Structure formats: structure tokens, C-alpha cells
Amino acid sequence: MPRPAPRDDAQDEDLTVAQPERTAAGLPGVVHGLTPGLTQMGVRRSARTLLKLNQVGGFDCPGCAWPEPAPSHRQHAEFCENGAKAVAEEATLRRVGPEFFAEHPVADLATRSDHWLGQQGRLTTPMVLHPGATHYTPISWSGATALAASALTSINPNQAAFYTSGRTSNEAAFLYQLFARAYGTNNLPDCSNMCHESSGVALSSTIGVGKGSVTLDDIHRAALLVVVGQNPGTNHPRMLTALERAKRNGAKIIAVNPLPEAGLIRFRNPQRASGLIGTGTALADRYLQIRVGGDRLLFRALGSLLLQWGAVDRAFVDTYTAGFDDYRAAAGALDWPEVLAGTGLSREEIVATARMLAASDATIVCWAMGLTQRRDSVPTIREIVNVQLLRGMIGKPGAGLCPVRGHSNVQGDRTMGIWHEPPAWLPALASRLGFAAPAPSGFDTVATIRALRDGQLRVFVGLGGNFAAATPDSATTFAALRSAQLTVQISTKLNRSHVVPGQSALILPCLGRTERDVQAAGAQFVTVEDSMSCVHASRGVLQPAADELRSEVAIVCALARAVLPDSPIGWETYASDYRAIREEIAAVVPGFADYESRVASGPGFTLPHPPRDRRRFPTPSGRAVFTATPVEVVEVPPGRLILQTVRSHDQYNTTIYGLDDRYRGIKGGRKVIFVNPDDLSELRLADGARVDIVSEWRDGGERRAAGFRVVAYPTARGCAAAYFPEANVLVPLDATAAESNTPASKGIIVRLEPAGSGEPAAPGPAG
């Protein structure tokens, strides 16, 4: 029988540390993946749900955006350990109804851990927190819609922000941005601002398209795969199957990461008997344990060596690129002592890596947030592009650029217009539907926090996600949200954002991916876009968790009708039949012609990508662009470390599935900081010591995360790692990547002090 929600909130009382593992998945992965489902759903419900996960005619995983293989190559169990956990979180039989909120005042809930909040179950009823109230209380859907409409119509449209999570479907995202823009604002912050915005900026300016240039088939066909700043074993486990297949086809793999990640060392594929009982497949042929922030110097050095050796595809460079001479001059002026100091690598390691690049005729470089969440993220990714352009590795089979997106439809949301900048097709949409499109740029995520803090924003609406836990500078963000006139959270589960409310607050419970969506025109499906630009349908299979749940589409349409009663836009039609939404998308969004027929049955379709498809680069010059910005070493004062925030293996984004991180040897807790043993000796700290982590920022301000256990760990020298959201308090709001404004969570200068030597800078479990 499924277990009830926990009443006690274990917060590191039983924390233990063991040796990290060097093999991912296998039989332990199967056990750990199925246990949450059995615990929260039971045997029959788990089997029924998981066998429809990532299948044609089934539903898309609410976890990561890794693509599905062709139907002929899909397994009956086409999911990973963390995908199974994500489904268990959504399809749980636990419920959070009015009686729960009557028992727990908001002040009490604010002291609870993120894990405890998420484990309570599915939200079932619209809830409201009135000004001055201590508890959320039930409210009707009509009452909730009227309250939100009253707040939105009483302010200037640019005093509202509309945040979006990557879990949101294409249909809901398209309507959400349509609602915001018909209302009169481009204030459309989204989770992409905090993850792969740097990738989009760098790729748009160099190859003309802000998306990756490879397909899953390219991964399988690559001769060399370079995986940089990414931990697929935890964050995209199904990628390990693709890497294994590439390896079996003869590919070499280079891993570049400050932390030794089990999934990049050895993979035991649970789909194979040999993976369950055998030793599995060794993946990384070369593991570069780079210093945090050293990737830009590494790729500049690799490019310099390739130029020195003449390992350049001159036909590609001359035909398809611009800026080569400036780049060649910059790369030729390489300072090797600076490279070695900044990367923490030996010259021999870098030369051997360059030899592998020179020998490969089909290279893919993959990266994730280890690269995108730094102050120099955009030029770092441009440096990767430089190396790939030198070798002609765009627009050929088995080669290209592969930013591995996180949440399942974060890329689709951007394609659908979720962006604080007006998309190019917005004038056509405005003309078609008869509204005035707002022209000024809106607020991204960091700008939204600043605007809330400064009183420029009065209403915050969140379509999914967990804004309070996902964002940096927790104390500032919490205070900013609490200053709002109204916060509205459209959610499936209880999370931190519900307990950091505005003066008034609404919780609007919605359907999840796993659930059937039946509207006036009958059963509906939605669509998503994966990390490699494939668009496909998602159909839920379960009875909704509660009768009062509404779909995201229905909620957005109800708000739009209430706020814009005289709008000519057919909100009622969209809510009743999602085919009408896809008709509008097909009319204005490039690549979506014949949308309905291409997703109604079958595996979907891949959006066009000119650099990949035809070696056509839609930049101003019509060519791919080499860049040659100066490269600098991050200076770290004596006695300090460079901190990066990471996920545990029992976590997806801000959702905490459990309190273990078995690949890193952590059990029963999360408030740990991983530090190299030699650094601990220099700092005169013992393994297991309790410390406060204090971040230092150029404004002279300090931020403190109190009561963390030091874990001696084989990370790169001078570097440290801690889990988010617990460490978000340490990331200053103004510490962002140049050009993309993404929080620089992978490069914070910190010092460690004995626990209790200062006051915590943020309330509750976030600090």
C-alpha cells in the first residue's frame, strides 16, 4: 500500500557520508527508480503509468528534455531512474487539500524543508491567502479568477510579470504569452533565463540559431563526444544510453568536469542483462578535472593548438565563416602559464585532448549548466563554437553543438514566444488576432526580482515552476515576492513559492502530464519540444488527482477572459479544443506548418535548423562567426574557494525527491559542501567539520549559508560544490552572466567559517 505523507521533517539529523561511486545505474538504479512509485502510487498504478512514459500515444516525461529514440528503437521501459521519480511525484496518491492548510499556518510551512513540502502530495483545491491572514483558505474558481482579474486590471500592465516553467506545454505557453501581450506587457521571465539563456545568446550571435545543431542520430554517429560542465548520470540519465550506443559504434568520449561524476565514468545499462549483473561500459576515455571557470581558457588553448598544427577545415572556414583572421591572431597570442593556472590542467592533458579533436572527423560538444551559469558563460560557449568552426563540425552527420536543455519543454516554451523580448512573429500574431503588440522589452527573471524589490511590479503570476527556490539571492527574492500586491501560483504540488506569498496570494491547482485532459470538445493532448528540436504529442492516462483541477490551458483562458472581457481573441474556443491553438501556432510560428497532422499520430517532427540542415547561417553576414574576446583567469584570494551549486541525485531542479545522493556517497541530508582534501588541509578544516559558507561579492556585501557539513571530496583544487536551492542564498542578485543575465551560480567566491560564527543571511531552510 502507498505510504502517507511524512509528518516529521528530517533536516540532516541522520546525515552520513560514504565513498562516492564510480558506476551509474545498473540494478541499484532500477530499485531506486521504482521505489518512489511503489511508495506513492502502488504496484498497479506504477506499472500502468510508467509503461506509457515516453511512448507514442503516451505522455512525455515531466523531467528532462532528452529526446526519445525512433519508435522502432524504444524500449518498453523508456525511462530512467529520475524520470520514474518525477512521475511518482506527480502521480502520487497523496493529497494537499483545505484541511492541510487549515492545520498549517503559512509561517509554519515557511520553516519546512523543500523536500517535506513536496512530499505532502498533489494540490486539489484553489486556495487564497487574504491580506493579514495566517492560513490559506479555499476559494472557488470564479472567485480566484475574479481576484486575479481585479488586481491585474487595477495596475499598469507593465506592473505585472508572467513567469513560466519548462514543464508547461506548447499550447499553454503560446496562450500564456498571448495573454500577457494582449494585456499589454512583455514581462515574460522564464526558467530558461536561469539555465540555458547563455547558450541561446552565444549560439544566436555565432551560428544564427539559438538552439543546438544535432539530432539524437548524430549522437549515435559521432566519432568524438566532448561532454563539458554536465552531469548526465543525474540530470539526463537517458543520455547515458545514447553515449553507450555511440561508444559501441566506436566513438571516443572526453569528459570535462571539476567533479568526478559516476555517470561519465562507467554506465551499467539497466535495459541489458549485462548492465544489471555485469560491469557495464566505461564511457570517458579522457577525464579532464578542470578548475571551475577554466573551460574558456581550455577551448582557447585547444583552438590554438589546432591552428598551430594546421588541423583546420579551410574549405569550411573560407566558405561559411567570418572573423577567422581576428580569432587566429587572438589564439596565436595564447599565454600558456595563464592557461595552466586557470584550468588546473597539465599541458600534456590539453595537448592530448587537442590530438583527439584533430583526429576526429565527426565531433559533438555537449554542455549544460556547468558552462551556462557563470559570469563568462556567453564567451565560453562562443569559444566552443570557435573550435567546432575550425574543424568544420556544423552541418555534417555526427557533428555539431549540443546544449543539453534541462526541463522537458523549456526549449518549446521559448519557441512559443515565452521571452521578455518580442519574438519576430509577434506582429503577425497581433495582426491576425486584432490586438496591439507591446514593443518595449520586458523583464527577465533577475530583472523581475529587482523590479519586485523596488516596487515596480505589483502582481506576479507563475505558470508552473518554483520561482522562490529556483532564483538566486534567497533573502532578496523572498522579500521581493512578499512585497507584491498579489502572487498567483499555477501548480501541481506544494513548494517554496507558496509559502513566500505576496500580500495576497492564490494557489491554482492544475493537471499534470500524467493526467487525462478532457474539455468541451473531448479528450485533448498537448505537445512539447525536446532538447533537439523534435516536437511531439503528450497524452495523459490517469484520472485527475481531484475533480477541481483544471488544465493550464483552461486556467490561462479563464484569466484572459476575466482580464480582457472585450478582447476579440477566441479564448473560449482555445479552452474547449486545443486544435484551435495549434492552428494559430501553425499560422505564425516558423516550422509549424501542418502542425496538427504532424503530431496527431506518430512520433512527431523535427523543426528546421538552417546551420544543421543546409549549412546556412542566418546571421547578419550570412556566415558563422568566429569571436576573439580576451580570456581572463578568475582571481581567487588566499583562503577562498570557487563554489558551484549542483543537484543531488535525488533531485530534479527544485524538486527534492529524497535526501540521498548515492553517487557522491551522501545519505540522509543535503547541507554539505564538497571540498578537496588538500584544500581542507590548507584551510585547517577537518573532514566532517560544521561550517558557515560565506560568499564575497564586489559590492562588499556578504551572504551566509549556515550549518553545512564539510565533505572531503576529489573535486578540482581550489573549488567547492554545494546543493541548490540550499546554496542559492550565496548567489548575489547582481552576479550574472554578461549578455544573458543568467545567475552566476557556478563561480561564487566563498570562505568557510566555523558554524555559528555569524548570523544566517536568509530565513528558514533556504539558508
Side-chain angles (χ1 to χ4, degrees), residues 432-720:
R432 177 180 172 87
L433 298 182
F435 68 94
S441 299
F443 293 133
D444 65 7
T445 293
V446 168
T448 292
I449 298 169
R450 292 187 185 124
L452 282 166
R453 176 197 64 191
D454 298 340
Q456 294 175 258
L457 288 174
R458 302 302 303 145
V459 176
F460 175 92
V461 184
L463 182 59
N466 184 358
F467 188 85
T471 44
D473 213 335
S474 304
T476 300
T477 297
F478 291 4
L481 285 167
R482 287 179 171 128
S483 72
Q485 172 188 333
L486 174 69
T487 53
V488 181
Q489 307 290 347
I490 302 169
S491 310
T492 58
K493 301 281 297 291
L494 189 66
N495 65 44
R496 180 68 49 201
S497 294
H498 304 127
V499 302
V500 186
Q503 297 164 30
S504 295
L506 286 169
I507 299 174
L508 305 182
C510 65
L511 296 175
R513 290 266 182 89
T514 59
E515 293 168 318
R516 291 195 295 270
D517 184 353
V518 180
Q519 302 297 333
Q524 305 295 316
F525 67 86
V526 295
T527 59
V528 297
E529 178 185 346
D530 64 32
S531 196
M532 295 180 183
S533 302
C534 182
V535 179
H536 58 274
S538 178
R539 295 174 172 84
V541 298
L542 299 178
Q543 182 72 17
D547 292 340
E548 286 198 74
L549 299 188
R550 292 188 176 180
S551 71
E552 291 179 322
V553 166
I555 294 170
V556 171
C557 289
L559 288 172
R561 288 195 304 270
V563 174
L564 306 169
D566 300 323
S567 170
I569 299 171
W571 305 108
E572 194 70 44
T573 300
Y574 300 149
S576 65
D577 191 344
Y578 299 175
R579 290 175 295 184
I581 310 169
R582 290 189 284 273
E583 183 179 341
E584 303 293 356
I585 295 170
V588 297
V589 181
F592 283 83
D594 301 319
Y595 193 4
E596 190 66 34
S597 64
R598 296 163 80 189
V599 295
S601 61
F605 62 95
T606 300
L607 290 169
H609 190 290
R612 178 196 66 212
D613 301 337
R614 302 187 302 280
R615 284 189 164 175
R616 186 174 69 80
F617 299 94
T619 62
S621 67
R623 289 169 172 253
V625 180
F626 281 96
T627 51
T629 52
V631 180
E632 300 176 354
V633 176
V634 177
E635 296 295 336
V636 182
R640 273 61 173 175
L641 302 167
I642 310 175
L643 177 76
Q644 61 171 333
T645 63
V646 297
R647 299 172 184 165
S648 80
H649 192 64
D650 259 358
Q651 171 181 1
Y652 193 77
N653 293 344
T654 59
T655 302
I656 313 300
Y657 302 138
L659 299 179
D660 300 344
D661 188 359
R662 74 174 189 278
Y663 291 160
R664 298 191 181 109
I666 305 300
K667 185 174 182 179
R670 293 180 52 82
K671 294 184 72 173
V672 298
I673 180 167
F674 300 99
V675 184
N676 187 286
D678 292 337
D679 289 321
L680 289 181
S681 295
E682 287 190 4
L683 295 171
R684 298 183 179 179
L685 286 170
D687 183 13
R690 295 284 174 175
V691 298
D692 292 351
I693 312 171
V694 183
S695 67
E696 301 175 349
W697 181 236
R698 62 191 180 198
D699 61 5
E702 295 183 347
R703 292 156 179 83
R704 182 178 299 267
F708 279 62
R709 173 173 170 167
V710 171
V711 175
Y713 200 81
T715 185
R717 283 295 310 272
C719 304

Side-chain angles (χ1 to χ4, degrees), residues 99 134 206 273 302 305 312 351 482 487 517 539 552 628 716 733 767:
E99 66 287 347
T134 59
T206 54
L302 294 172
L305 289 169
V312 177
V351 170
R482 287 179 171 128
T487 53
D517 184 353
R539 295 174 172 84
E552 291 179 322
L733 187 62

